[in-house]
Amino acid sequence: WAAPALAPITRQVSGHTAAVRVPSGPTAAAPVPSGPEHGQPLAASVAELPVLDANGRRVPFGALFRERRAIVVFVRHFLCYTCQEYVEDLAKIPRSFLQEANVTLIVIGQSSYHHIEPFCKLTGYCHEIYVDPEREIYKRLGMKRGEEVTSSGPSPHVKSNVLLGSMWSLWRAVTGPPFDFQGDPGQQGGTLIVGPGHYIHFIHHDRNRLDHKPINSVLQLVGVQQVDFTGRPSVIHV
């Protein structure tokens, strides 16, 4: 099933071309206005698809952002070291920053819901998280499968090199439940800005495991305060 192309809805954070085509020109980010006049409607058939929470409870996808804007990050699979390190940085976003901007942060994986709690313990992630084990929402939103070679450069959120990161992923796989890869290894993720209501304001499809959108670029689009991901202690002015 091929997802229909969406009309232009907002500028991309970078010049990458995604399934949602955006106007060319300056890429300076700005807060994304909400409402039907500014966003592309999300199909009702997609909004009604279920995601599962950590208890296996089914929640309609559209209910996650009915009342306010949300950053929704779809990850590859929970054994992926690049996803782990990206979500570790998402975990560093203070709740107060999101609350001040009235924005929800949501991660969606594609494993069984049983893996949600261990993944949160591993990454320190404490914001909203769900799974789409059938990958139906991934498919309907046009998330890619397979790895594309790109010149996007290294991700600012991935600290491990390919060898060490892959070894760590393999170790977690062989020490975990047999034959459970916690998702389709060929599935790529992406990032959306949606709501309030069923309106998409921004979408990015990851083209490979390192093609995550820089988190601060996405935060800037929704007016959330920037976060220092370098680990340096902050300077308090008195």
Side-chain angles (χ1 to χ4, degrees):
W1 188 92
L6 298 176
I9 52 179
T10 187
R11 74 187 76 179
Q12 276 276 26
V13 177
S14 73
H16 296 166
T17 301
V20 179
R21 294 190 175 273
V22 295
S24 59
T27 57
V32 178
S34 299
E37 71 276 19
H38 297 292
Q40 180 71 21
L42 175 69
S45 59
V46 179
E48 293 167 0
L49 289 170
V51 292
L52 306 181
D53 67 12
N55 297 313
R57 184 174 64 96
R58 294 162 66 92
V59 182
F61 177 54
L64 305 181
F65 40 84
R66 183 180 295 131
E67 302 299 329
R68 55 181 174 175
R69 286 177 296 174
I71 300 168
V72 184
V73 177
F74 289 80
V75 299
R76 294 178 68 239
H77 58 92
F78 287 163
L79 289 179
C80 172
Y81 76 94
T82 63
C83 296
Q84 174 192 330
E85 295 183 4
Y86 188 80
V87 174
E88 285 173 347
D89 274 0
L90 289 175
K92 297 174 184 175
I93 302 173
R95 286 184 181 273
S96 60
F97 287 14
L98 297 167
Q99 291 169 348
E100 287 169 4
N102 197 28
V103 171
T104 302
L105 175 61
I106 301 167
V107 165
I108 295 181
Q110 41 140 341
S111 75
S112 163
Y113 71 89
H114 296 100
H115 296 302
I116 290 178
E117 186 175 348
F119 185 71
C120 289
K121 288 181 178 178
L122 178 68
T123 59
Y125 182 82
C126 59
H127 304 288
E128 291 189 43
I129 183 168
Y130 304 89
V131 291
D132 173 24
E134 302 300 323
R135 298 187 293 113
E136 192 59 35
I137 300 172
Y138 283 76
K139 297 172 188 175
R140 298 288 289 274
L141 292 175
M143 301 299 172
K144 301 179 182 296
R145 290 196 76 257
E147 296 267 352
E148 289 186 26
V149 178
T150 68
S151 58
S152 55
S155 167
H157 303 290
V158 177
K159 296 83 179 175
S160 301
N161 61 40
V162 174
L163 178 60
L164 292 178
S166 299
M167 290 176 62
W168 171 238
S169 295
L170 179 61
W171 172 253
R172 291 180 57 214
V174 300
T175 56
F179 309 112
D180 189 346
F181 293 98
Q182 301 189 25
D184 179 355
Q187 179 67 58
Q188 302 299 327
T191 301
L192 281 73
I193 295 173
V194 287
H198 299 162
Y199 298 96
I200 303 176
H201 303 282
F202 172 86
I203 187 168
H204 166 79
H205 299 91
D206 297 346
R207 294 179 291 176
N208 57 54
R209 69 191 64 194
L210 295 173
D211 194 35
H212 302 109
K213 295 309 300 178
I215 295 171
N216 274 331
S217 297
V218 180
L219 295 181
Q220 189 174 3
L221 281 171
V222 291
V224 174
Q225 185 175 335
Q226 306 286 278
V227 177
D228 180 7
F229 296 108
T230 64
R232 293 191 301 265
S234 58
V235 176
I236 300 176
H237 298 279
V238 295

